[in-house]
Amino acid sequence: MTTLLLARHGLTDLTGPVLAGRTPGVHLSEAGRAQAEALAGRIAGVRLDAVVSSPLERCRETAEAVAKGRGADVVLDERLIECGYGTWTGRPLKELAQEPLWQTVQAHPSAVTFPEGESLADMQHRAVAAVREWNRRLGLKGVYLACTHGDVIKAIVADALGLHLDHFQRITADPAALTVIRYAPLRPFVLRINDMGELRLPEDSEEKDGGENITGSDAAVGGGPGTT
């Protein structure tokens, strides 16, 4: 099963009050750099076959903290870039919350195309396509980290859970948090969402018989043994 570690970038000075979007030159803040270093430590024991990132600076800097010391290069993938928010980019969220479109973003995001920007449906399509291509490239034993943005992560997770995009606002992706998805031949398995703890991945060899499906291609009957 191909294992994807989805990481949101660390904090910037704009995270929270402003919709940074694709604004160039938005770097990690001091707190964000500390979060990126902590993220690297939390997954230090996990083998990574690739470290992939959105091309925006805040994601690249977070991914570089993870790649440092692993002898790995960060590969940029344009398909993991932030949603194109168009004329909403750079505006305060308090101001955007007064826009008529805001309620549609919250309740019916599949219908949203941002003014002079991208639709959320198109964003999900290209982000999921990127994940599927990396899965094929790295194979069933591949493990990789992709550093991207909150809405992109939520859209990928919604796809993995089989949720309509209109439900993706129910998913949370905090700065420097990890979401872990395993892609099996039949379906994805979401192992963690918005996790801030140390990560240990179960190896395929740890899957036993006695109620669990040892092929890794289907759900365990009875729930499975979990991990230790």
Side-chain angles (χ1 to χ4, degrees), residues 12 56 79 81-82 123 134 161 163 197:
T12 75
L56 295 179
R79 296 168 297 180
I81 198 169
E82 179 65 284
M123 177 271 288
W134 278 101
L161 290 172
L163 293 177

Side-chain angles (χ1 to χ4, degrees), residues 142-153:
V143 180
Y144 67 108
L145 179 134
C147 186
T148 183
H149 308 269
D151 280 349
V152 178
I153 291 170

Side-chain angles (χ1 to χ4, degrees), residues 7-209:
R8 186 180 172 193
H9 61 80
L11 283 166
T12 75
D13 290 335
L14 298 184
T15 306
V18 174
L19 185 63
R22 298 181 183 178
T23 303
V26 178
H27 296 272
L28 294 179
S29 63
E30 183 178 349
R33 290 191 294 272
Q35 287 179 324
E37 293 293 336
L39 169 64
R42 281 157 39 211
I43 62 173
V46 177
R47 169 181 60 85
L48 292 178
D49 299 306
V51 179
V52 188
S53 176
S54 157
L56 295 179
E57 292 91 343
R58 56 195 185 270
C59 286
R60 289 164 51 189
E61 291 164 0
T62 304
E64 286 163 1
V66 172
K68 183 179 178 181
R70 291 177 177 265
D73 294 324
V74 176
V75 181
L76 303 184
D77 192 323
E78 291 281 348
R79 296 168 297 180
L80 296 176
I81 198 169
E82 179 65 284
C83 185
Y85 296 118
T87 59
W88 279 31
T89 302
R91 293 176 61 188
L93 289 175
K94 286 185 178 180
E95 178 183 300
L96 291 173
Q98 306 306 311
E99 294 279 353
L101 184 62
W102 181 268
Q103 291 304 317
T104 308
V105 172
Q106 301 304 314
H108 193 23
S110 67
V112 170
T113 299
F114 292 97
E116 300 181 27
E118 185 179 26
S119 74
L120 285 167
D122 284 346
M123 177 271 288
Q124 182 185 46
H125 178 77
R126 46 100 167 159
V128 170
V131 167
R132 297 291 183 173
E133 182 180 314
W134 278 101
N135 291 351
R136 290 191 296 271
R137 185 183 305 185
L138 296 174
L140 288 177
K141 298 294 185 180
V143 180
Y144 67 108
L145 179 134
C147 186
T148 183
H149 308 269
D151 280 349
V152 178
I153 291 170
K154 290 156 58 177
I156 293 170
V157 174
D159 172 78
L161 290 172
L163 293 177
H164 195 281
L165 184 60
D166 285 346
H167 299 306
F168 98 136
Q169 298 290 24
R170 303 181 183 194
I171 299 163
T172 300
D174 289 326
L178 272 179
T179 291
V180 182
I181 306 171
R182 274 193 152 175
Y183 288 86
L186 292 184
R187 63 175 66 84
F189 295 86
V190 179
L191 304 186
R192 297 192 182 193
I193 296 179
N194 203 42
D195 190 89
M196 298 297 291
E198 184 177 354
L199 181 64
R200 176 180 178 270
L201 292 178
E203 298 294 334
D204 291 339
S205 61
E206 293 177 357
E207 297 174 358
K208 306 177 183 70
D209 58 5

